[in-house]
Coordinates of all heavy atoms in Angstrom, one line a residue:
I79 N 96.1 95.3 117.4 CA 96.1 93.9 116.9 C 94.8 93.7 116.0 O 93.7 93.9 116.7 CB 96.3 92.9 117.8 CG1 97.7 93.1 118.7 CG2 96.4 91.4 117.2 CD1 97.8 92.1 120.0
V80 N 94.9 93.4 114.8 CA 93.7 93.1 114.1 C 93.6 91.6 113.9 O 94.3 90.8 113.3 CB 93.7 93.8 112.7 CG1 92.3 93.5 112.0 CG2 94.0 95.3 112.8
A81 N 92.6 91.0 114.7 CA 92.5 89.5 114.7 C 91.2 89.0 114.1 O 90.3 89.7 114.0 CB 92.5 89.1 116.2
P82 N 91.2 87.7 113.8 CA 89.9 87.1 113.3 C 89.0 87.0 114.5 O 89.5 87.0 115.6 CB 90.3 85.7 113.0 CG 91.7 85.6 113.1 CD 92.2 86.6 113.9
A83 N 87.6 87.2 114.3 CA 86.7 87.3 115.3 C 86.8 86.1 116.2 O 86.6 86.1 117.4 CB 85.2 87.3 114.6
S84 N 87.3 84.9 115.7 CA 87.3 83.6 116.5 C 88.5 83.7 117.4 O 88.4 82.9 118.4 CB 87.5 82.5 115.5 OG 88.6 82.7 114.7
H85 N 89.4 84.6 117.3 CA 90.6 84.5 117.9 C 90.9 85.9 118.7 O 92.0 86.1 119.0 CB 91.8 84.2 117.1 CG 91.9 82.7 116.8 ND1 90.9 82.1 116.0 CD2 92.7 81.7 117.1 CE1 91.2 80.9 115.9 NE2 92.2 80.5 116.5
R86 N 89.9 86.6 119.0 CA 90.1 87.9 119.7 C 90.6 87.8 121.0 O 91.6 88.4 121.5 CB 88.8 88.8 119.7 CG 88.5 89.5 118.5 CD 87.3 90.4 118.7 NE 87.7 91.4 119.7 CZ 87.3 92.6 119.6 NH1 86.4 93.0 118.5 NH2 87.5 93.5 120.5
G87 N 90.0 86.8 121.7 CA 90.5 86.5 123.1 C 92.0 86.1 123.2 O 92.8 86.5 123.9
D88 N 92.3 85.1 122.2 CA 93.7 84.7 122.1 C 94.7 85.9 121.9 O 95.7 85.9 122.5 CB 93.8 83.6 121.0 CG 93.1 82.3 121.4 OD1 92.7 82.2 122.5 OD2 93.0 81.5 120.4
A89 N 94.2 86.7 121.0 CA 95.2 87.7 120.5 C 95.4 88.7 121.6 O 96.5 89.2 121.9 CB 94.4 88.5 119.3
A90 N 94.3 88.9 122.4 CA 94.5 89.9 123.6 C 95.3 89.2 124.8 O 96.2 90.0 125.2 CB 93.0 90.2 124.3
A91 N 95.2 87.9 124.8 CA 96.1 87.3 125.9 C 97.6 87.5 125.3 O 98.5 87.7 126.2 CB 95.7 85.9 126.1
I92 N 97.8 87.2 124.0 CA 99.2 87.2 123.6 C 99.7 88.6 123.6 O 100.8 88.9 124.1 CB 99.1 86.7 122.0 CG1 98.9 85.2 122.0 CG2 100.5 87.1 121.4 CD1 98.5 84.7 120.7
G93 N 98.8 89.6 123.3 CA 99.3 91.0 123.5 C 99.5 91.4 124.8 O 100.7 92.0 125.0
R94 N 98.8 91.0 125.8 CA 99.2 91.4 127.2 C 100.4 90.7 127.6 O 101.4 91.3 128.3 CB 98.0 90.8 128.1 CG 96.9 91.6 128.3 CD 96.0 91.2 129.4 NE 95.5 89.7 129.3 CZ 94.4 89.4 128.7 NH1 93.7 90.4 128.1 NH2 94.1 88.3 128.7
R95 N 100.7 89.4 127.2 CA 101.9 88.7 127.6 C 103.1 89.4 127.1 O 104.1 89.6 127.8 CB 101.8 87.3 127.0 CG 102.8 86.4 127.7 CD 102.3 84.9 127.6 NE 102.3 84.4 126.3 CZ 101.2 83.8 125.7 NH1 100.1 83.7 126.5 NH2 101.3 83.4 124.5
V96 N 103.0 89.7 125.8 CA 104.2 90.5 125.2 C 104.4 91.8 125.7 O 105.6 92.2 125.9 CB 104.2 90.4 123.7 CG1 105.4 91.0 123.0 CG2 103.9 89.0 123.1
A97 N 103.3 92.6 125.8 CA 103.5 94.0 126.3 C 104.0 94.1 127.7 O 104.6 95.1 128.0 CB 102.1 94.6 126.2
G98 N 103.6 93.1 128.6 CA 104.1 93.1 129.9 C 103.5 94.4 130.7 O 102.3 94.6 130.6
P99 N 104.4 95.3 131.1 CA 104.0 96.5 131.9 C 103.3 97.4 131.1 O 102.5 98.4 131.7 CB 105.3 97.0 132.6 CG 106.4 96.6 131.7 CD 105.8 95.2 131.2
V100 N 103.4 97.4 129.7 CA 102.7 98.4 129.0 C 101.4 98.0 128.2 O 101.1 98.3 127.2 CB 103.6 99.1 127.9 CG1 104.8 99.9 128.7 CG2 104.3 98.1 126.9
Q101 N 100.8 96.9 128.9 CA 99.7 96.3 128.2 C 98.5 97.2 127.9 O 97.7 96.9 127.1 CB 99.2 95.0 129.0 CG 99.0 95.2 130.4 CD 98.9 93.8 131.0 OE1 97.6 93.4 131.0 NE2 99.9 93.1 131.3
D102 N 98.5 98.4 128.5 CA 97.3 99.4 128.2 C 97.5 99.8 126.8 O 96.6 100.3 126.2 CB 97.4 100.5 129.2 CG 96.8 100.2 130.6 OD1 96.5 98.9 130.7 OD2 97.0 101.0 131.5
A103 N 98.7 99.7 126.3 CA 98.9 100.2 125.0 C 98.4 99.3 123.8 O 98.5 99.7 122.7 CB 100.4 100.4 124.7
V104 N 97.9 98.1 124.2 CA 97.4 97.1 123.2 C 95.9 97.3 123.0 O 95.2 97.2 124.0 CB 97.8 95.7 123.7 CG1 97.2 94.7 122.7 CG2 99.4 95.5 123.7
T105 N 95.5 97.4 121.7 CA 94.1 97.3 121.5 C 93.8 96.0 120.4 O 94.7 95.8 119.6 CB 93.7 98.5 120.7 OG1 94.2 99.8 121.3 CG2 92.2 98.7 120.6
V106 N 92.7 95.4 120.7 CA 92.4 94.2 119.7 C 91.1 94.7 119.0 O 90.1 94.9 119.7 CB 92.3 93.0 120.4 CG1 92.0 91.9 119.5 CG2 93.7 92.5 121.3
V107 N 91.2 94.5 117.7 CA 89.9 94.7 117.0 C 89.8 93.6 116.0 O 90.7 92.8 115.7 CB 89.8 96.1 116.1 CG1 90.1 97.1 117.0 CG2 91.0 96.0 115.1
T108 N 88.5 93.4 115.5 CA 88.1 92.3 114.6 C 88.4 92.8 113.2 O 88.2 93.9 112.8 CB 86.7 91.9 114.7 OG1 86.5 91.6 116.0 CG2 86.4 90.7 113.9
G109 N 89.1 91.8 112.4 CA 89.5 92.1 111.0 C 88.3 92.0 110.0 O 87.3 91.6 110.5
G110 N 88.6 92.1 108.8 CA 87.6 92.0 107.7 C 88.0 90.9 106.8 O 88.9 90.1 106.9
D111 N 87.2 90.8 105.6 CA 87.3 89.9 104.6 C 88.6 89.8 103.8 O 89.1 89.0 103.2 CB 86.1 89.8 103.7 CG 84.9 89.2 104.4 OD1 85.2 88.6 105.5 OD2 83.8 89.4 104.0
S112 N 89.0 91.1 103.7 CA 90.3 91.4 103.0 C 91.5 92.0 103.8 O 91.1 92.6 104.9 CB 90.0 92.3 101.7 OG 89.6 93.5 102.2
R113 N 92.6 92.0 103.4 CA 93.6 92.6 104.2 C 93.3 94.1 104.3 O 93.4 94.7 105.3 CB 95.0 92.4 103.5 CG 96.2 93.0 104.3 CD 97.5 92.7 103.7 NE 98.6 93.4 104.4 CZ 98.8 94.7 104.5 NH1 98.1 95.5 103.8 NH2 99.9 95.1 105.2
A114 N 92.9 94.8 103.2 CA 92.6 96.2 103.2 C 91.4 96.5 104.3 O 91.5 97.4 104.9 CB 92.2 96.6 101.8
A115 N 90.5 95.6 104.4 CA 89.4 95.7 105.3 C 89.9 95.7 106.8 O 89.5 96.4 107.7 CB 88.3 94.8 105.1
S116 N 90.9 94.7 106.9 CA 91.4 94.6 108.2 C 92.3 95.8 108.6 O 92.2 96.3 109.7 CB 92.4 93.3 108.2 OG 91.6 92.2 108.1
V117 N 93.0 96.3 107.6 CA 93.8 97.6 107.8 C 92.9 98.6 108.3 O 93.1 99.4 109.2 CB 94.7 97.9 106.7 CG1 95.2 99.4 106.9 CG2 95.8 96.9 106.3
A118 N 91.7 98.8 107.5 CA 90.8 99.8 107.9 C 90.3 99.7 109.2 O 90.1 100.8 110.0 CB 89.7 99.8 106.9
A119 N 89.9 98.5 109.7 CA 89.5 98.3 111.0 C 90.6 98.7 112.0 O 90.3 99.3 113.0 CB 89.2 96.8 111.3
G120 N 91.8 98.4 111.7 CA 92.9 98.7 112.6 C 93.0 100.3 112.7 O 93.1 100.9 113.9
L121 N 93.0 100.9 111.6 CA 93.1 102.3 111.5 C 92.1 103.1 112.3 O 92.4 104.1 113.0 CB 93.0 102.7 110.0 CG 93.7 104.2 109.8 CD1 95.1 104.3 110.0 CD2 93.5 104.4 108.2
A122 N 90.9 102.5 112.3 CA 89.7 103.2 113.0 C 90.1 103.1 114.6 O 89.5 103.9 115.4 CB 88.4 102.3 112.7
A123 N 90.8 102.2 115.0 CA 91.2 102.1 116.5 C 92.4 102.9 116.9 O 92.8 102.9 118.1 CB 91.3 100.7 116.9
V124 N 93.1 103.5 115.9 CA 94.3 104.3 116.2 C 93.8 105.6 116.9 O 92.9 106.3 116.4 CB 95.1 104.6 114.9 CG1 96.2 105.6 115.2 CG2 95.8 103.3 114.5
A125 N 94.5 105.9 118.0 CA 94.2 107.1 118.9 C 94.5 108.3 118.0 O 95.3 108.4 117.2 CB 95.0 107.1 120.1
E126 N 93.8 109.4 118.4 CA 93.8 110.7 117.7 C 95.2 111.3 117.7 O 95.6 111.8 116.7 CB 92.9 111.7 118.3 CG 91.4 111.5 118.0 CD 91.2 111.6 116.4 OE1 91.9 112.6 115.9 OE2 90.5 110.9 115.9
G127 N 96.0 111.2 118.7 CA 97.2 111.9 118.9 C 98.4 111.4 118.0 O 99.5 112.1 118.0
A128 N 98.2 110.2 117.4 CA 99.4 109.6 116.8 C 99.8 110.4 115.7 O 99.0 111.0 114.8 CB 99.0 108.2 116.2
D129 N 101.2 110.7 115.4 CA 101.6 111.3 114.3 C 102.2 110.4 113.2 O 102.2 110.7 112.1 CB 102.8 112.4 114.6 CG 104.0 111.7 115.1 OD1 104.0 110.6 115.5 OD2 105.1 112.3 115.0
V130 N 102.6 109.1 113.6 CA 103.0 108.2 112.6 C 102.2 106.9 112.8 O 102.1 106.4 113.9 CB 104.6 107.9 112.7 CG1 105.1 106.8 111.8 CG2 105.4 109.2 112.4
V131 N 101.8 106.3 111.8 CA 101.2 105.0 111.8 C 101.9 104.0 110.9 O 102.4 104.3 109.9 CB 99.6 105.1 111.4 CG1 99.6 105.4 110.0 CG2 99.0 103.7 111.6
L132 N 102.2 102.9 111.5 CA 102.9 101.7 110.8 C 101.9 100.6 110.7 O 101.1 100.4 111.6 CB 104.1 101.1 111.6 CG 105.2 102.0 112.0 CD1 106.4 101.1 112.6 CD2 105.8 102.9 110.9
I133 N 101.9 99.9 109.4 CA 101.1 98.9 109.2 C 102.0 97.6 109.0 O 102.8 97.6 108.1 CB 100.2 99.1 108.0 CG1 99.3 100.3 108.4 CG2 99.2 97.9 107.7 CD1 98.6 101.0 107.2
H134 N 101.7 96.6 109.7 CA 102.7 95.5 109.7 C 101.9 94.1 109.7 O 101.0 94.0 110.3 CB 103.6 95.4 111.0 CG 104.6 94.5 111.0 ND1 105.5 94.2 110.1 CD2 105.0 93.5 112.1 CE1 106.4 93.4 110.4 NE2 106.0 93.0 111.6
D135 N 102.5 93.2 108.8 CA 101.9 91.9 108.7 C 102.4 91.0 109.8 O 103.7 90.8 110.0 CB 102.4 91.2 107.4 CG 101.8 91.9 106.1 OD1 100.8 92.5 106.2 OD2 102.5 91.7 105.1
A136 N 101.4 90.3 110.6 CA 101.8 89.4 111.7 C 102.6 88.3 110.9 O 103.5 87.6 111.6 CB 100.6 88.9 112.3
A137 N 102.3 88.0 109.7 CA 103.0 86.9 109.0 C 104.5 87.1 108.8 O 105.3 86.2 108.5 CB 102.4 86.7 107.7
R138 N 104.8 88.4 108.9 CA 106.4 88.7 108.8 C 106.9 88.7 110.2 O 107.4 89.7 110.9 CB 106.6 90.1 108.2 CG 106.1 90.1 106.8 CD 106.3 91.5 106.2 NE 105.7 91.4 104.8 CZ 106.3 91.0 103.7 NH1 107.4 90.4 103.6 NH2 105.5 91.0 102.5
A139 N 106.8 87.5 110.9 CA 106.9 87.3 112.3 C 108.3 87.6 112.8 O 108.5 87.9 114.0 CB 106.4 85.9 112.6

Side-chain angles (χ1 to χ4, degrees):
I79 304 171
V80 186
S84 58
H85 283 67
R86 274 188 69 144
D88 291 347
I92 293 167
R94 276 196 301 275
R95 196 157 64 234
V96 182
V100 292
Q101 47 186 267
D102 287 353
V104 177
T105 314
V106 179
V107 299
T108 303
D111 287 343
S112 64
R113 185 180 176 285
S116 294
V117 170
L121 198 59
V124 169
E126 280 300 319
D129 69 336
V130 175
V131 59
L132 301 189
I133 299 161
H134 185 49
D135 291 338
R138 298 184 188 274

